[in-house]
Amino acid sequence: MTSGHTDCHFCLQSLRGRKYALREENAYCVPCYDSLYANPCEECKQPIECNSKDLAYKGRHWHEGCFRCAKCSRSLVEKPFAAKDEVLLCTECYSDEYSSKCFHCQKTIMPGSRKMEFKGSSWHESCFVCQYCRQPLGTKPLITKDNENYCVPCFEKQFAHHCYACKKVITSGGVTYHDQPWHKECFVCAGCKTQLSGQRFISKDEYPYCVDCFSRFYAEKCATCKKPITALGGAKYISFEERQWHGECFNCAKCSVSLVGQEFLTRQDDILCHKCGSA
């Protein structure tokens, strides 16, 4: 600037016909201004004089010619750059040194681009997609199978088991019966509809029945006590001429001795031990 003021505010020398700088409405000759207020350059440590361009970043200052990549020395003026431990780097050098590699394409995730993090790995946003429908996953719920990511609808369509009874997806747990998956709440007795998960049951014609219903509908009745013979838990039963007995009920009709494994005789509907039958 040429002087509209008369004297330098610091050295009091005349500013007529001289360049000067203003600071807080006070005029300073160039030498005084530089000695009082010029910022030191981070690179060369020399003052950035008022007739030089002062480039600032986070409270630090550089000459225009000193504002360059610390690794390759290319100028960063009007170029994108990144900082690491207060060192300035061009985006290429920063990427080579510090940027993450995309888990999917193995290419560098450039500074300033959106990065997705999942299970300790980094992804380009455009690479973080459902393996089946190829739609971006973003922050949507997802399921991983064999190191591939799927949105929930696609995973269910491709891999999830469907309940044999209600045909809906089984998202967790479930019961396997006759090699078919069932919801726990759908796995019920074919007779009384009581849930059978974790309970003892008996199969009949590919349907599960609770013990009570199976006994009521299908079990043979003991010829002695008339109660159902279920044979659950390995219980022994005896069969003879289309009649069945519980092991503990297969006794001599006269003396009540057990006939299990013994010779016996029949008299009408009675079974007798050899001794009572011969008397």
Side-chain angles (χ1 to χ4, degrees):
M1 294 181 180
T2 56
S3 179
H5 294 71
T6 56
D7 301 319
C8 172
H9 184 71
F10 185 74
C11 70
L12 302 180
Q13 292 186 19
S14 174
L15 296 176
R16 293 183 183 277
R18 300 170 64 189
K19 290 183 178 181
Y20 70 92
L22 288 174
R23 186 180 177 88
E24 297 177 355
E25 299 184 358
N26 295 317
Y28 296 84
C29 65
V30 171
C32 287
Y33 183 89
D34 288 342
S35 65
L36 292 172
Y37 302 115
N39 295 306
C41 175
E42 286 287 326
E43 178 65 21
C44 69
K45 309 305 178 185
Q46 298 298 313
I48 304 172
E49 299 172 339
C50 65
N51 59 355
S52 298
K53 193 170 185 178
D54 185 334
L55 300 178
Y57 174 71
K58 290 189 175 181
R60 297 186 292 156
H61 300 264
W62 289 262
H63 289 105
E64 186 174 13
C66 294
F67 193 62
R68 56 182 182 260
C69 174
K71 185 176 180 183
C72 70
S73 298
R74 282 184 291 185
S75 174
L76 298 178
V77 177
E78 297 182 356
K79 301 284 181 62
F81 65 89
K84 180 69 175 178
D85 299 328
E86 298 189 353
V87 175
L88 302 185
L89 299 167
C90 64
T91 53
E92 290 82 358
C93 289
Y94 182 90
S95 298
D96 290 342
E97 291 289 322
Y98 304 110
S99 289
S100 303
K101 296 291 191 295
C102 176
F103 181 84
H104 177 73
C105 70
Q106 295 303 307
K107 295 180 180 179
T108 299
I109 301 175
M110 298 298 288
S113 61
R114 190 171 183 189
K115 179 173 68 174
M116 309 303 296
E117 298 279 350
F118 180 65
K119 289 188 175 180
S121 298
S122 301
W123 308 64
H124 290 112
E125 185 177 23
S126 58
C127 292
F128 195 58
V129 298
C130 171
Q131 178 67 18
Y132 185 73
C133 69
R134 312 306 298 176
Q135 293 300 307
L137 290 170
T139 57
K140 298 176 183 176
L142 61 92
I143 301 173
T144 300
K145 179 179 174 61
D146 299 332
N147 289 326
E148 299 289 357
N149 300 319
Y150 298 84
C151 65
V152 174
C154 285
F155 182 86
E156 291 180 349
K157 185 186 300 181
Q158 291 294 107
F159 304 110
H161 292 137
H162 290 73
C163 177
Y164 182 78
C166 71
K167 310 306 179 186
K168 295 180 180 179
V169 170
I170 300 173
T171 57
S172 62
V175 175
T176 299
Y177 172 68
H178 281 188
D179 296 326
Q180 298 291 344
W182 303 62
H183 288 113
K184 287 184 178 180
E185 58 272 22
C186 293
F187 188 61
V188 298
C189 171
C192 65
K193 307 305 179 185
T194 301
Q195 287 191 23
L196 296 177
S197 177
Q199 307 297 319
R200 300 173 75 182
F201 64 90
I202 303 171
S203 296
K204 175 69 174 178
D205 300 329
E206 297 188 358
Y207 291 98
Y209 290 85
C210 67
V211 175
D212 288 343
C213 285
F214 182 85
S215 298
R216 184 164 60 251
F217 297 145
Y218 300 109
E220 300 288 349
K221 301 299 189 294
C222 175
T224 298
C225 70
K226 310 306 181 184
K227 294 180 180 179
I229 301 172
T230 63
L232 284 176
K236 293 181 179 180
Y237 71 98
I238 312 300
S239 180
F240 176 71
E241 293 184 349
E242 298 184 355
R243 291 188 293 166
Q244 288 79 32
W245 291 262
H246 292 109
E248 62 272 19
C249 294
F250 193 59
N251 303 321
C252 174
K254 188 172 182 181
C255 70
S256 300
V257 68
S258 175
L259 298 177
V260 177
Q262 305 298 319
E263 292 184 355
F264 61 90
L265 302 173
T266 61
R267 182 179 296 164
Q268 296 180 351
D269 289 336
D270 293 333
I271 55 172
L272 302 168
C273 64
H274 193 272
K275 182 180 180 180
C276 292
S278 302

